[in-house]
Amino acid sequence: MFGWEYPPHVYGGLATANYGITEGLHAQGDMDITLCLPKPWGDEDRTPANIVAMNSVPVAWRDVDYDYVQGRVGNIMSPELYYRLRDHIYGDFNYMHVNDLGCLEFAGGYPSNLHEEINNYSVIAGVVARTLDFDIIHAHDWLTYPAGIHAKLASGKPLCIHVHATDFDRSRGHVNPTVYGIEKDGMDNADCIMCVSELTRQTVINQYHQDPRKVFTVHNAVYPLKQEWQDIPRPDHKGKEKVVTFLGRLTMQKGPEYFVEAANMVLHRTRNVRFCMAGSGDMMDQMIYLAAERGIADRFHFPGFMRGEQVYECLKRSDVYVMPSVSEPFGISPLEAMQCGTPSIISKQSGCAEILTNCIKVDYWDIHALADAIYSICHNESLFEYLSMEGKREVDQITWNKVGLLIRRLYEQQVLVQR
């Protein structure tokens, strides 16, 4: 399995989904997962998967002693695996910027030289594919598609790709031709394409011209709250200033400006509401200025990027969660909010709208409907209680174990049958 990010080092929703899918497959008991990460840190949960540190896989021969290797990479990968991988280097990559172990370094996350790192990751995938024993290749999102293709060419094993988003979602239609090319190449070479929603599946079929018979919808899920997060108390909804939260990247894909405009409309009807816009992104300054222009800056909070326990503290202190995404392949955050008993409003243009019932759905552009929904949940006690209780009950049934079983069926039906 090729993945770009993994908890606890979370840069976006991909890490959450990657972990959930890995957990769901591991839970079946008879599946071994080797997860290839560009730059693991050593504190990842290694129960569901054996982690290969791609920044510790040699692509150029170096005569180094065991103790030195142990000191350099022992916290993220065993020296034995380093030497085993070294014996399967298939070309002279000394021209690349390798370190003293013959390995390529990675910055982690999404650096300015991202395309170079994607290429380096795919080169290393060739060494891994020639060394390890496996039945199926599973590549998550466009960053790992070249690695998946390379592993398929090196091993002859079938390739599944998991489409968590396409550049049509990220760019509002202003597609980057380089990214589109990488995405389409991955899809053309895949034996099975898994999409996080029917919305995304249709994009893959229509915009990337894929055979519908190999494209399947595999909705995301949510894993159970850790006990310490369950123990975070929820403030009483009654008789207090209400809190309405947006939590996500502040980019045009997520529709943050619609949240601010709806907030402005709500605040013309009541001043007993505060708005929290948690996250970071290229539209953050624009949103701060927009709140100031509308004269509602005193009711707005911008706490920045949140992770782990901070997320769940924020969600439990909120009376309403809003995801007004313009284009959202799935969107796990409303499920996390509903887990916390927080009523959610989501855009009809999101993949999770296909499977969620006990939430309010509006068109992302309809700020009047969004404002009405926010105001209603804040001021209608019965509506708040119903959505809080039934929403939690609903998402507690949407588990990664079920997703893992569906992926297994696709492996068996679409991939292993080809062998």
Side-chain angles (χ1 to χ4, degrees), residues 48 71 140 144 150 185 213 221 259 281 292 294 315 346 378 382:
H140 291 284
T144 71
H150 195 168
D185 199 27
R213 291 173 296 182
F259 180 72
R294 296 290 180 266
L315 292 175
I346 62 175
C378 286
S382 298

Side-chain angles (χ1 to χ4, degrees), residues 83-192:
Y83 289 113
R84 186 179 164 203
L85 289 160
R86 192 183 65 173
D87 293 337
H88 289 86
I89 295 169
Y90 60 96
D92 183 3
F93 296 108
N94 279 293
Y95 68 91
M96 302 181 80
H97 298 295
V98 294
N99 62 18
D100 57 333
L101 294 177
C103 304
L104 291 161
E105 302 280 0
F106 288 87
Y110 302 92
S112 57
N113 66 330
L114 182 59
H115 286 277
E116 180 186 351
E117 295 214 337
I118 291 168
N119 180 67
N120 291 349
Y121 181 86
S122 71
V123 169
I124 300 164
V127 177
V128 175
R130 285 168 171 80
T131 308
L132 303 182
D133 183 35
F134 56 93
D135 300 296
I136 293 170
I137 304 155
H138 193 145
H140 291 284
D141 241 14
W142 70 280
L143 306 122
T144 71
Y145 294 168
I149 294 169
H150 195 168
K152 179 179 179 178
L153 293 173
S155 66
K157 300 292 171 65
L159 170 64
C160 292
I161 66 168
H162 214 115
V163 185
H164 296 271
T166 70
D167 209 49
F168 281 88
D169 303 302
R170 290 183 290 266
S171 66
R172 248 192 219 179
H174 303 293
V175 178
N176 179 320
T178 303
V179 176
Y180 177 88
I182 294 171
E183 290 177 329
K184 188 166 192 319
D185 199 27
M187 295 173 191
D188 290 345
N189 282 277
D191 299 285
C192 175

